[in-house]
Structures are given as structure tokens and as C-alpha cells.
Amino acid sequence: MTILTRLLGSSALLASTVLATQALPAEPITILINTSPWYGGFEALVEKYEADTGNKVSIDAVPLGGLLEKARNAVRGPAGNYDIVNLSNAWVVEFYAGNYLTPLTDIDPTFSFGDNIIDADGLLYWNKDKQWPMKHGGVPMAFSPNANTHLWYYRTDQIEKPPETWDDVLKTCRSKGGEVDYSVVVRGARGNPIRFAFSTYMLSFGGSIEKDAPNGDFTVTFNSPEVKHALELYIKLAKECGPPNPGSIDQGEMIQYLVSGKAKQAGIVVAAQAQMDDPEKSAVVGKISYTVTPRPADGANRDVWGSWQMGIPANVPAERKKAAMEFIKYFQSDDAQTYYAEAGGIPVSRTVLEGPLSEQEKFRWMRPYSQASRYAKQLLQYQEGAEIEQIIGLRLNQALIGELSVDDALNTAATEIHDVFVRTGRRTGLLPPLQ
Amino acid sequence: MFDRHFRLITIAPAALLILSLTVVPAIELVRMAGAKIAFTNDGVERTAALAENIGRLANDWIYWRALLNTLAFVITSTLAELVLGLVLALAAQRMTRAKGMVRTLMLMPILIPPVAIGNMWRLMYNPEFGIIAHLVDQVAGVRLDMLGSTSTALLAVIIVDVWHWTPFMFLILLAGLEGLPEEVMQASHLDGANSLQRLRFIVLPMLWPAIAVAFVFRSIGAFKVFDQIYLLTSGGPGVSTEVLSLYVFKVFFQNNELGYGALLSLVTIAIVCSYLAVFRIAQRTKGAL
């Protein structure tokens, strides 16, 4: 680290500390959140906020399975209990379109996200005219406690150079052996797990689910040759390089394979990185490094967001909305973001992700994550998203376990997605079936 | 006359409470089943969609597959639990010492929270790290992945259910066995009946009410199975472990399709009632014979 870098870093930290501690005295607030792996970092940051500002924050931390219903109940009634609710990217459209959240600029007209803040492909904004989450023409609706996209985790003692393309990955697959049982672990469990993981591959091959949904063209493109190539690669990696029966492998198993030293590499969300260097959980402490998800030899790096968003419900009193805004402003500051990272959270400030902290060995995941954050996309941002995810998640899983051929899986999924769009009155169409 | 009125007046609050807690939600469920429901800032928006919902159900192959899976799950797991519970109860009844301790130990699986059971069995079934796969590998030289294969996943969740709920059967049947009149058992002994004859002609007929209660209770519980399948397989791989409650949950809570979800719930309730009615008719027929 150069002296100049240190000085710049220190100045930025000092400036943000001053800004952070300028939060105004405010009413006590309550936050509804899920107990994800990064929750500990968030809790620590809340404690710091209370210590720095004297403001009080209560947290209602619930398992992921119960979060959506609690959030729905909280925002649908005439008076809500929660001043900030945490929402998966799969749910935000329901909350934005239903006017259940207060635009942040309605509470503080001067508020804006800095250019350094990851907005998860515009998901923090809502364009009411287009009924689409996007920065252009949109108003800020929420902030991300974790934007969460994939990183490629790989064993530095087994793989000399970080793989850049899928060909590089396949080469390491074919040279498997030694003490490591599997070269690649692929996430194949039915539903969201395989849909989410496969989306990265699909996007990198230029594939998509629908043609141009933000502009109202819901022509189904899921059975295109690009998606077919991506799925063929996905199955090849799973069957030739990974553990047997990949159809039941979810994120927990992928992490187990890595931390137990049985696998060389896997694409897992950034939130899992903390477990790799935890000596109580990992047999490969210091042996895992991170890069962006590989790409096709003639394609580009792409990824998909599995982000979290926190919004302020419309049905809470104005004073509590203002208090929630004080927390949001504090959370965005570099000081808070730095503390958040040190406490196990995943910052959304690129200033922090690319700053002095990222040069430490412990935070070697930060730069590839920041890089991926520049091109990662949001998918399924419409009301039918959950139903379509179930269709894709089932058909991909059936292709992976051999119940359906690649062509049949994609053609069937495309037809079923088309049926959903027809039922909901979208402008839609279908590609000719794959043969 | 006064007594009758007094009874009606005193029972009325409880009856009203039960009515409001069961009939009102049931009526609401029926209303929901015929509609498409959306939440807006102005409140709940309902659009009539009974025909559309029924049309969807008729073509919803995952629901019908979930029904088959559920019936297979209910029948297999309940029968297995009944037989195992009976065997264990008969063995425990003969014990003169440590019966209390055995009864307490048998309770353990029921006391463990489903989330712990799901995680514990998921790890035990894991083909790489699990004890079951390890043992099978040692004995047969095969790496078994019970949850990852479509041919074994349903069996795997049935095994977990049998482990979890056999103690429930055991407790009911043991209580039933201990309530059997001792003099009848002694008389059959004096008459020279052997163990099998006593079981077939004395114990099982007299135990029938307890068996019926245990069977009905567990059947209803098995129809509602959710948590262990959600935690073990989420209905996969493919649709091999999709069951009715899990699918209704997905439609209701993940897809947020309240109208269609309500229709699925109603049909599921009707199926459970039909199952119980068949059992009741069978029971009456047996009684008549």
C-alpha cells in the first residue's frame, strides 16, 4: 500500500466518520430482518449506530421461511409494527407496486444514493410509469444491507491460476485426482437454488428468460440456443466434475464440499465467504481465493443478483419514518460500511470494496465482488416471477437429474412460462421449439 | 327444563368461539377459492375467477402428482408406524423393570423440533459426509444418495417420518394394552391359547379402538406433513417428494396466489375427509361383520 493510498483511505474514513456521527436524535425504530449468514455483521452495526448516535433500534430477527409473511402482514394493516422491513429481490415488486413502502425522497427530499453505492441493477428504485424497478425515471425506495451475487471460489493450492473461462474450469475438471474428490460443485436442488445459480451461466451465454420485459415484450426466450448451450455446460460440469446426484445439492452442501476440502471450486454467493476462513468450520483456511464467475471463451462475464432490500413501510408514523432515514443515511457512510465489513457484513459501498480494506488478505473477496457488481443483473422482476421461478427450477432440475432431455426441459419450461404470461395478459410469444 | 336452558346458556360462549374460529375461516376460504385476489393500498381487490381456478386445477399436473405422493406417504408411513408401534408396545408391556425409562426414551424423537430433525437427517443421508451412506458403502460398496435420487427420495422422507412418529403410536397402543382386562388374558392362558392366538383373537380385537384412534390421528398428521419434507428435499428432486401441503404453501405464500391456493386447500380438505370417510365406513363394515 502506498503512502498516498493510506492517506486517501484515512481521509475518507475520517470524513465518513464525521458524516456518520452527524445522525440526528430520532425515535426508536424496529427492523424486521432474517437470520442470514451476514446477520451478525448487521447486528454489530446496529449496536454501533446506537452507541454513536444514542438512537434506539430493536431488531426482530426471524428465520428466512417466516420473513415474507411477517413483512406482508406488517405493511398491509393500517398501522405497521416495523419501521424497516428486509425483502428479498424476488418480493420487492409486490411491495413497490402495491405502494406499501414510502419512497425515501418523500421522507427526505435531499436523499440520494451516492454513485459508490451498489444499487443492484437499479432494484433500489421504482419507476411507477413503467412499473419496473430501475434507476432511470425511478425514485429511491430501499437500501441494500447485502446485494449478494456469486463469486467463483477456488482452491489456490490446487488451481494455479484463477479460471477465466469455462474451458479453464473444464481443464481442471479433467485433471482431477489427488486428495480432492471433486473439481466443481454445481448447485442443482430444485426451485430457487438451481434457477438462481444457472442464471449466471445463462446470462454469460447471452440467454434470457423473456425478450424485453422492462419494455413490455414478454416473448419467451428460455428455449433459445444460447440457453441450451448454457444448460449443456451446466450439466456437463455437474456430471463430469462434481459429486454424484447433483440434483439435491444446495448451497449448504456446496459450502460443506469446499470447507471439508473435498472440492476444488464452486460458484457460491459472496455471503458464504466468511465460512472459508473460519478455523472452526473450515479445513481449508487461507486456501480459498475468489474471482468473478468464469465466462464462455467468446462471451462476457455476467452474473445475477440475489439481493436484499430494506424499505420503510408506508403505514408507520412520520416521525418513525424520519428515524428510519437517519439509520439509512448512517448505513451508507463509508465508516459504517467499513465497520460492517469488519463485523462480517457484505458492504454495498464500492469505496470500501475497492479501498484499503480490500488489500488485506481477509478481504480478498472484495475486489472480485465489486467487479461482479458492475455487470450483475436482476431477473424475474414482475408479479409472475415466483411462479416462473418454480417452473424453471423444476425443469432445470429434471434436466440435471436426467428425467428430461435438455431440449425437452427448455421447450416445456418455455411453453409453461408462455401460458403464465397469456393468463396474466402480457404481450408474449414463443420461439420455435428446440430440436 | 331449567337444566336444559342452563346448559345451553353456559355452553353458548364456547360454542360461539369454536364456530367463529372454524366456520368463519371456512366460509372465507370458500369465498377466496372462487376469486383472484390482489392487495392494494385501497384494500383487498377480489375478481370472480372460479371457472379459471377450476380450469387451472384440472390441468395442474404437479398438484395431482403431489396427491399421489401424499397418498403413498400417508398409507406407507402410517402402516409402518402402526406395525412398529404395536411390536414395540407388545415388547414393552412384557417388561417388568425399566418400563418407565423405555417409555421416556421412546418419547425423544417426538420432542425434537422438526427443524433439528430435518438438518440431522439431511446430514445423515448426505452421500459424502453422512453416516447412512458410510455404512451402506462399508457393507455393500455402494455410495447411496437417498435424497438425491428420484427413486429413493420419497422412501427417505417416509423413513424419517416413521422414526419421528412411531413413538406416538407406541404410546397410544401401550396405553391401550395396559387397559385390557387382565382376567380375559388369564382366562385365555388357562384355555391353552398360545401367544399368537392370544394376539390374533384376544388382544387385537380388544385393542381395535386404540388402533383406530392412533391410525386416524397419524393419518391426519401425515396428510399435513410439511416441515420435514420442506427441510429435507423441498419437494425434489423433480417432483418425487412434492406433497399437497408443500405445494399449497408454494402457491399461497411463494406465488402469492391466494384464490387458487384457497381452491387447492379446499380440494385437499375434501380429499382428507374422503379418506377418513372411507376409513370410517371400513370400520363400520368390520363392526357389522
Side-chain angles (χ1 to χ4, degrees):
Chain A
M1 197 191 305
T2 64
I3 293 173
L4 182 64
T5 318
R6 279 172 197 270
L7 276 173
L8 283 173
S10 307
S11 311
L13 198 65
L14 184 65
S16 61
T17 305
V18 172
L19 284 173
T21 49
Q22 278 179 345
L24 298 172
E27 295 268 304
I29 59 168
T30 306
I31 298 175
L32 175 65
I33 190 174
N34 47 302
T35 48
S36 286
W38 46 271
Y39 169 72
F42 188 82
E43 191 180 34
L45 183 61
V46 165
E47 283 170 15
K48 181 172 163 55
Y49 172 71
E50 289 185 317
D52 285 351
T53 65
N55 295 336
K56 293 288 167 212
V57 178
S58 303
I59 298 180
D60 185 6
V62 299
L64 174 61
L67 182 69
L68 176 59
E69 269 320 288
K70 264 200 155 178
R72 278 178 177 154
N73 290 337
V75 301
R76 284 173 181 171
N81 301 326
Y82 299 110
D83 306 296
I84 294 178
V85 290
N86 195 34
L87 304 168
S88 158
N89 62 340
W91 314 331
V92 290
V93 169
E94 176 189 334
F95 287 75
Y96 289 177
N99 297 321
Y100 294 122
L101 302 181
T102 307
L104 302 181
T105 42
D106 282 7
I107 305 166
D108 179 354
T110 65
F111 178 80
S112 66
F113 291 112
D115 289 339
N116 63 326
I117 296 297
I118 294 171
D119 69 3
D121 192 25
L123 197 74
L124 304 186
Y125 300 86
W126 181 239
N127 183 325
K128 206 168 185 175
D129 295 334
K130 288 205 165 192
Q131 290 286 294
W132 199 267
M134 60 199 299
K135 186 172 184 179
H136 182 70
V139 292
M141 297 292 292
F143 71 102
S144 276
N146 178 9
N148 219 25
T149 191
H150 294 100
L151 288 179
W152 193 255
Y153 294 56
Y154 69 97
R155 286 274 295 271
T156 49
D157 60 329
Q158 301 283 326
I159 297 169
E160 286 176 17
K161 197 169 153 252
E164 289 179 18
T165 67
W166 294 120
D167 291 340
D168 295 341
V169 175
L170 283 167
K171 271 182 212 157
T172 62
C173 169
R174 283 166 193 148
S175 65
K176 73 179 177 184
E179 63 185 48
V180 179
D181 294 343
Y182 306 109
S183 175
V184 183
V185 190
V186 170
R187 194 176 181 187
R190 180 189 154 188
N192 167 273
I194 189 168
R195 196 285 301 168
F196 181 64
F198 173 71
S199 295
T200 301
Y201 294 67
M202 177 184 79
L203 292 168
S204 75
F205 276 86
S208 59
I209 297 168
E210 68 300 293
K211 201 169 182 181
D212 186 12
N215 290 307
D217 187 349
F218 284 79
T219 300
V220 180
T221 50
F222 195 63
N223 57 337
S224 68
E226 290 83 5
V227 181
K228 179 178 176 173
H229 289 149
L231 185 53
E232 283 170 344
L233 171 73
Y234 201 75
I235 293 172
K236 190 181 179 81
L237 285 174
K239 296 225 162 137
E240 290 183 12
C241 317
N245 291 322
S248 60
I249 293 177
D250 200 353
Q251 198 162 270
E253 284 80 18
M254 295 176 86
I255 294 170
Q256 276 176 355
Y257 277 112
L258 276 179
V259 297
S260 62
K262 285 182 175 288
K264 287 182 191 171
Q265 54 199 325
I268 312 178
V269 290
V270 61
Q273 51 77 25
Q275 300 189 43
M276 302 298 136
D277 283 349
D278 181 345
E280 288 186 7
K281 294 179 182 170
S282 174
V284 290
V285 173
K287 291 180 181 172
I288 299 282
S289 196
Y290 311 91
T291 185
V292 295
T293 307
R295 57 180 170 78
D298 55 352
N301 290 107
R302 291 283 179 265
D303 218 312
V304 61
W305 287 115
S307 58
W308 288 100
Q309 285 67 226
M310 287 189 162
I312 302 175
N315 60 356
V316 295
E319 281 309 306
R320 276 169 37 201
K321 287 183 185 175
K322 281 184 188 164
M325 277 305 298
E326 290 306 315
F327 177 76
I328 293 175
K329 286 187 227 169
Y330 178 92
F331 183 84
Q332 311 294 323
S333 69
D334 287 344
D335 176 41
Q337 288 282 298
T338 302
Y339 185 83
Y340 186 40
E342 286 169 338
I346 311 292
V348 288
S349 164
R350 286 200 186 95
T351 313
V352 173
L353 289 169
E354 294 169 7
L357 214 56
S358 68
E359 290 175 25
Q360 293 181 26
E361 180 67 7
K362 183 183 172 189
F363 298 106
R364 57 193 182 277
W365 53 272
M366 282 187 166
R367 283 178 186 268
Y369 174 59
S370 183
Q371 197 182 335
S373 76
R374 295 182 190 278
Y375 52 70
K377 291 280 173 205
Q378 290 283 353
L379 298 177
L380 300 171
Q381 294 305 316
Y382 36 81
Q383 60 170 10
E384 305 91 332
E387 194 177 353
I388 288 172
E389 175 166 270
Q390 282 195 37
I391 292 169
I392 294 175
L394 171 61
R395 298 309 181 184
L396 291 178
N397 179 258
Q398 287 182 305
L400 186 64
I401 62 178
E403 271 194 358
L404 291 176
S405 69
V406 168
D407 286 358
D408 286 345
L410 296 180
N411 286 334
T412 309
T415 307
E416 289 171 343
I417 295 167
H418 180 255
D419 290 346
V420 172
F421 287 147
V422 169
R423 198 180 74 233
T424 55
R426 302 282 194 185
R427 179 158 59 88
T428 185
L430 258 177
L431 299 181
L434 290 163
Q435 285 171 347
Chain B
M1 194 64 168
F2 173 78
D3 276 357
R4 189 163 163 263
H5 284 146
F6 180 75
R7 269 183 300 200
L8 283 174
I9 289 165
T10 50
I11 210 168
L16 280 174
L17 184 69
I18 290 167
L19 274 177
S20 62
L21 291 176
T22 53
V23 176
V24 174
I27 292 170
E28 178 60 13
L29 198 63
V30 173
R31 278 185 66 213
M32 286 168 68
K36 191 182 268 185
I37 296 168
F39 286 86
T40 67
N41 258 11
D42 300 327
V44 183
E45 200 174 83
R46 291 169 190 260
T47 320
L50 180 61
E52 188 186 321
N53 286 346
I54 290 173
R56 271 187 78 183
L57 175 61
N59 295 312
D60 193 343
W61 70 274
I62 299 182
Y63 181 83
W64 300 114
R65 174 64 193 268
L67 174 61
L68 285 180
N69 286 344
T70 306
L71 288 173
F73 180 89
V74 169
I75 292 165
T76 314
S77 62
T78 311
L79 284 176
E81 286 156 21
L82 184 64
V83 172
L84 276 173
L86 183 62
V87 170
L88 290 168
L90 287 167
Q93 193 206 15
R94 291 181 183 192
M95 293 176 76
T96 48
R97 286 159 53 179
K99 194 189 283 186
M101 196 176 75
V102 168
R103 204 182 332 221
T104 308
L105 282 174
M106 285 294 293
L107 266 174
M108 295 300 279
I110 303 177
L111 299 178
I112 300 174
V115 67
I117 290 172
N119 282 321
M120 180 177 83
W121 278 90
R122 198 176 161 93
L123 184 62
M124 282 165 56
Y125 277 137
N126 188 300
E128 206 67 48
F129 313 102
I131 180 81
I132 293 171
H134 177 73
L135 290 175
V136 172
D137 194 14
Q138 293 291 313
V139 174
V142 178
R143 185 168 289 178
L144 191 67
D145 183 8
M146 292 283 284
L147 296 176
S149 164
T150 48
S151 53
T152 54
L154 189 61
L155 176 64
V157 293
I158 288 172
I159 289 171
V160 177
D161 195 76
V162 170
W163 173 85
H164 192 185
W165 288 110
T166 295
F168 174 80
M169 290 286 199
F170 163 80
L171 289 175
I172 291 182
L173 297 176
L174 183 60
L177 281 172
E178 288 182 338
L180 295 182
E182 188 60 30
E183 58 272 23
V184 177
M185 304 304 288
Q186 283 172 354
S188 66
H189 195 70
L190 289 174
D191 286 345
N194 62 30
S195 298
L196 269 179
Q197 286 169 326
R198 279 207 301 276
L199 179 66
R200 168 72 183 84
F201 297 106
I202 310 286
V203 174
L204 286 181
M206 286 203 299
L207 198 60
W208 177 247
I211 291 173
V213 166
F215 190 84
V216 168
F217 275 22
R218 253 328 285 151
S219 292
I220 294 170
F223 262 111
K224 293 193 294 186
V225 66
F226 176 82
D227 33 29
Q228 67 205 37
I229 291 188
Y230 181 73
L231 291 159
L232 285 168
T233 61
S234 286
V239 286
S240 57
T241 58
E242 190 78 78
V243 287
L244 291 176
S245 55
L246 186 61
Y247 186 59
V248 172
F249 163 79
K250 286 174 182 170
V251 172
F252 244 119
F253 296 104
Q254 291 183 347
N255 295 3
N256 203 24
E257 293 181 284
L258 304 191
Y260 185 52
L263 181 69
L264 296 187
S265 303
L266 278 180
V267 175
T268 305
I269 291 168
I271 290 165
V272 177
C273 290
S274 306
Y275 173 88
L276 293 176
V278 168
F279 181 76
R280 181 77 184 131
I281 290 164
Q283 201 181 3
R284 278 189 177 172
T285 312
K286 186 179 183 301
L289 291 171

